[in-house]
Amino acid sequence: MITPQRADVLSAILEERKLDALIVSTLVNIRYYTGFTGSNALLLVNAKGTRLFTDPRYSVQASQQVGDRVTIAKGKLIEAVASKVGTLKGLRIGFEDTRASYALSKALAKLGRLKGVGDAVDKPRWVKSTLEIGAIRASVALNSTAYDRAMKRFKVGMTEKDLAAEIDHQQRKLGAEGPAFATIVASGAHSALPHATPRNAPVERGGYLLIDMGASLNGYMSDMTRTVGVGPCTAEQERIYMAVLAAQQAAIDAVRPGRKASAVHGAAVRALKQFGLDKLFVHSTGHGLGLEIHEAPRLGKKDDTELEAGMAITIEPGVYEAGVGGVRIEDTVLVTEDGCEVLTTTPKGWTMVG
Ligand code: ZN
Ligand code: ZN
């Protein structure tokens, strides 16, 4: 349903930017504003209100999810939108310039003068409603249960792909739509690749086992990384793990409303510096998440977005040594009025398995 509050947000963008029409083309934004979950849609906002355009495959679904402000278009959606907007010269057409495809931008340009609205349509999604926080909480809990169940079935010698498949299987059995992103299982030296793809190779003793997994539940994402040692491990492996854990805690302690995203990253970097490991931390400390696995803000060096209560973010520093291995520890965290709440409950002390 197009909730009145969310329709108001879109009308406000229309007014502030003096637009004759605003076209929302990003599916995840269309879902947020209208509840429509189909894979082909455009949303038109103008003085008459909001109207969803989709194709005949979704006629039943669109009327259930959105109501009667729907146009089912047999041909190209943009042509159906054009017939509603008209092509009066000088119309100001707002669009998601940071998101829209070149093809769509070109088609929209025929309707009038294009005005990019930047992240104005995305921005209201950054701070989550109580309902959304509940949905993220549920997704995080499901993800942790899937991790526990998959790890119970883990045996040394199992392939990375088999463990990844077990994780995906457990997520779905618990009610997830599926993984929020391609599950990462990386062991030994392979764990030094922050975005490793699971291999057909067995997980062997003496190295790290890094698992980065998230679930999508009712459209909302969770994201967690755990790294364990596949015993026996060395004292140096444990030292690096404890350094990453200290950096993760330092970043969590830095999270509070008004704090810049970059400052949280800075806290993680400073903590790793004390262990002489900051040069091996090659990515940002975290990211927002919700309907998408990667949303604003980005907790990196360059993002000065101020955190706000209600933002859901990840905290995930890591240390990667090429040819040796990598450690990353990631939790999903909610920014609260007086700091933050770590939503992920899976234990993260140094653990050896096998
Ligand atoms: Zn992750
Ligand atoms: Zn993440």
Side-chain angles (χ1 to χ4, degrees):
M1 283 289 153
I2 305 176
T3 65
Q5 304 96 299
R6 287 188 180 168
D8 283 353
V9 172
L10 294 173
S11 304
I13 297 171
L14 200 72
E15 240 167 75
E16 272 164 32
R17 308 206 174 215
K18 300 187 173 54
L19 301 170
D20 297 299
L22 169 65
I23 315 285
V24 181
S25 55
T26 308
L27 288 171
V28 68
N29 284 338
I30 291 175
R31 175 175 187 157
Y32 178 77
Y33 287 102
T34 72
F36 180 67
T37 57
S39 66
N40 184 30
L42 288 173
L43 184 66
L44 166 67
V45 187
N46 62 14
K48 290 183 186 152
T50 53
R51 175 164 289 276
L52 181 88
F53 295 76
T54 185
D55 67 67
R57 288 175 300 163
Y58 293 114
S59 50
V60 174
Q61 184 181 328
S63 76
Q64 285 169 348
Q65 293 179 325
V66 183
D68 55 0
R69 297 199 58 83
V70 173
T71 296
I72 302 296
K74 292 224 171 70
K76 286 187 175 163
L77 299 188
I78 185 65
E79 282 164 14
V81 171
S83 72
K84 287 275 179 199
V85 174
T87 47
L88 284 173
K89 264 210 164 134
L91 278 183
R92 287 169 59 93
I93 311 286
F95 80 120
E96 298 167 283
D97 53 320
T98 57
R99 296 257 209 179
S101 71
Y102 179 68
L104 179 71
S105 313
K106 231 168 61 174
L108 288 174
K110 291 187 185 142
L111 302 184
R113 279 185 295 148
L114 283 189
K115 300 285 165 193
V117 298
D119 56 14
V121 176
D122 289 79
K123 214 169 176 174
R125 289 179 30 219
W126 298 358
V127 173
K128 272 66 186 177
S129 69
T130 310
L131 267 178
E132 290 185 288
I133 291 166
I136 292 168
R137 239 180 239 286
S139 181
V140 166
L142 182 151
N143 198 40
S144 287
T145 306
Y147 174 83
D148 291 344
R149 291 188 180 178
M151 286 310 279
K152 267 197 194 115
R153 289 164 175 82
F154 169 74
K155 285 188 183 75
V156 178
M158 195 174 183
T159 67
E160 292 174 355
K161 271 196 178 160
D162 277 343
L163 182 54
E166 186 63 45
I167 288 167
D168 297 359
H169 176 70
Q170 293 299 338
Q171 285 180 335
R172 281 198 192 263
K173 292 232 317 182
L174 287 161
E177 287 99 48
F181 53 88
T183 303
I184 296 174
V185 174
S187 63
H190 195 51
S191 61
L193 278 61
H195 258 239
T197 307
R199 303 166 301 169
N200 251 329
V203 177
E204 286 167 355
R205 293 194 178 278
Y208 294 120
L209 170 61
L210 184 154
I211 295 163
D212 189 350
M213 59 189 280
S216 169
L217 178 61
N218 298 318
Y220 282 84
M221 309 298 168
S222 46
D223 196 358
M224 167 176 89
T225 307
R226 287 294 179 265
T227 306
V228 297
V230 186
C233 288
T234 63
E236 176 62 5
Q237 284 169 322
E238 182 176 350
R239 185 188 80 90
I240 291 172
Y241 183 89
M242 295 311 289
V244 175
L245 187 59
Q248 205 234 5
Q249 191 57 52
I252 289 170
D253 291 343
V255 173
R256 74 186 55 140
R259 187 59 60 84
K260 284 178 178 166
S262 54
V264 176
H265 177 66
V269 172
R270 272 198 309 282
L272 284 174
K273 204 167 191 164
Q274 292 181 359
F275 295 89
L277 293 169
D278 53 306
K279 296 282 183 289
L280 300 178
F281 177 27
V282 291
H283 52 73
S284 56
T285 294
H287 52 88
L289 85 176
L291 285 172
E292 289 178 289
I293 188 65
H294 290 121
E295 297 183 359
R298 182 188 168 86
L299 284 80
K301 215 169 25 190
K302 291 182 191 139
D303 191 337
D304 284 336
T305 304
E306 284 186 11
L307 299 180
E308 286 177 56
M311 283 181 170
I313 57 175
T314 69
I315 300 291
E316 51 176 306
V319 162
Y320 310 90
E321 204 174 340
V324 179
V327 173
R328 178 165 67 255
I329 304 168
E330 174 181 29
D331 289 325
T332 299
V333 167
L334 175 70
V335 185
T336 60
E337 295 295 339
D338 53 3
C340 73
E341 179 189 347
V342 179
L343 300 182
T344 308
T345 53
T346 300
K348 53 187 174 184
W350 170 241
T351 308
M352 270 193 282
V353 297

